[in-house]
Amino acid sequence: MSKPIILAEKPSQAKAYASAFTIKDRTKTHIEIKPCEIFKDGAIITWAIGHLIELQSPSDYDEKYKRWSLSNLPIVPPNFIYKVSADKKSHYAEVAKMLKSTDTIIIGTDIDREGEAIARLIINHAKADNKTIKRLWINSLEEDEIRKGFANLKDGKDTYNLFIEAQSRQMADWIIGMNFSPLYTLLLQKKGFEGSLSVGRVQTPTVYLIYQRQKEIENFVPKKFYEIEGNFTAANGSYKGKAKIKSDKKEEVQELLLKNGIGEKNEAIVKSVSKKEKRTKSPKLHALSTLQATANKNWRYSPADVLKLVQGLYEKKLVSYPRTDTQVITDSEFTYLLNNVTSLQKLAKTSFDVASTEPNKRYVDGKNVAEHYAIIPTKNIPSESTINGLTEQERNLYFEILHTTLAMFHSDYVYEETKILTGVNELEFETTGNTEKSLGWKELFKNTSQSADEDKKEITQALPVLENNERVLAVVKLKEGVTTPPKPYTEGQLIGMMKTCGKSVEDTEDMEILKEVEGLGTEATRSNIIEAIKRQEYIDVKKNIVHVTKKGEILCESVEGTLLASPSMTAKWELYLKKIGEGKASQQQFVKQTTSFVEKMIQDVPGKLSVESISTAIKESKEKDYLCKCPACQKGHIVEKKNNFSCTESCNFSLPKTLLKKKISVTAIKSLCEKGKTAKIKGFESKAGKKFDAVLELDEQKKIKFSFN
């Protein structure tokens, strides 16, 4: 009987699996483990390097697709064909050889639909899908969990539909991207747009949601409003209160003051003082999205960086599987955490009495753990040297996960809420103040922003000791305020925006669908989507604030009013994909519906792009890139291109970006064009390798020359 082949997603994962067994041999393409209780004849662990197999590009089907043309649309292959990724052919050949040589294949890629697709596509392409296929399904890379997982493998049939789900998503996204990207690009280029657009099922509505917020801010008109505020002086101190009125009509508020005979200074009476103890539970355990949002808020880490960092902690066996959308654990995880709570406290350099040794459904709910549980520390308690060996970013994330987990065992945060009702003649003023009584779990988060979304309370004004019916002095004023615009998104808030975008959808049914599938993208893909729209230059992030670029605005104005701008379409797709993953829907029908949608859009889009605002946006975008007037023709403008600075007209004037190994700055180019010369530039290098400094000038023929004066 041949040795089983274990297919991991990447080398680090394969190495982690191997660490749970005794290694016999190690090569560039696999690790062999010795016979043991689980593998009587031993086993061989090999790995993918991400997606070894990918869908063919349009030009692989037909040479005519090498150049974009409206006449070639729609592009929908009769059968989707896969190919080996060009730069990974030699590694694939070795993996395929191993898969074909065995009787049993164990899929050990990440336990989600993309992980399933990575493995199945390799197996299918290698024509090894006739083998016995088993599935490893674990949430931790600790050695005992690895061994337990290999001893209790799932049947490969149990997770096959996850592959069909992922494959359906790949095919539909291919149809959307390969048709809408050339469609919008070519139509807009006819209007003067330079460059190309990438249009996608998830990335495009994501950009549009950010664009909507930006437009709300730009179009916001501040409005005045009026309130009545009282400043009260009692025997034991002073406090403030507000009357129950807020109006945009000043006369209405003034009339209320007159009606109650209230001047600037008045006698008042404390009508009631009530106190109530309130408690706040500790934050829920972290899913990937909450960890990304918290890390961005505390340290401005991008969502992509957080995913990379926490994936590294997972591979170091310090935390559980990170690509999870679940914020609860099962009784099994709770038990091991409770048994290790003293060691975890010591690691966190804290000490507190465990408030409860019983699992609380807020954190422990096995019925709601489908595939992955929340991100928590593993049983592997790291030593001080291990912690010191982590980067600062890794330490910050590890301790955020550790503190959030420990908070589950801590006491509640307790504060006392005091409410005062003060009467000035017949007008009542309300005052609220909170007094902290016990920090509880909050002591774990002293050095970071509080991560609990539920805790919106802040310690308010300190209140003096007051008695019922106590007489106080009141200074009453009409207070003018101004409404403020919505705030722009931070990069960390984009994850939450993508999850809750159902709030921007008016249709009740669509909103319910969005709620069920948790908005745009998945827990594992949202950070990649954000990185993609940054790469496409649809958004930029400055000081953690997200802005839509001119290119992004052109995209949004072009898709406005279509399903491409709406989260509803991608939500319905995700719901259908979910049903495919459950074996309740058809891949063939899904691809057919996507094709019909694309065909209709190809007919409709040209008419929708005739609006004047798009032409204006293109013009503004081009003007934004102008550096200065062209010194040669005096008609065009100089813009920065990939390899040079050139004129927008066809006068052929251009300037190099690099001259004699020296990069020429935009400032120098502007000076050269506007003044005919630059300031002294240091660091040119002659052909003989000698460094020299010089001023660049334009001669009468508008050619560059060196000046040493």
Side-chain angles (χ1 to χ4, degrees), residues 329-341 359 364 409:
I329 54 177
T330 70
D331 288 276
S332 175
E333 288 79 52
F334 179 79
T335 300
Y336 91 66
L337 289 170
L338 180 62
N339 291 339
N340 286 289
V341 73
V364 187
F409 297 101

Side-chain angles (χ1 to χ4, degrees), residues 4 25 32 37 72 74 127 150 195 218 338 356 427-428 448 556 603 637 640 649 691 695 699:
D25 188 27
E32 186 176 353
E37 190 177 342
N72 287 335
K127 294 182 170 55
F150 277 113
E218 288 173 5
L338 180 62
S356 174
L427 191 62
E428 291 183 340
T448 59
C556 292
Q603 297 299 316
H637 292 82
E640 184 174 359
E649 298 294 318
K691 298 270 187 180
V695 169
D699 62 19

Side-chain angles (χ1 to χ4, degrees), residues 615-633:
S615 298
T616 304
I618 291 170
K619 184 172 180 261
E620 288 174 355
S621 175
K622 290 169 76 173
E623 289 175 354
K624 183 175 175 286
D625 293 331
Y626 293 167
L627 299 178
C628 52
K629 254 194 169 181
C630 174
C633 70

Side-chain angles (χ1 to χ4, degrees), residues 567-580:
S568 300
M569 181 189 74
T570 193
K572 286 173 180 173
W573 278 32
E574 284 297 339
L575 187 63
Y576 201 98
L577 286 168
K578 192 176 178 183
K579 287 178 180 176
I580 291 172

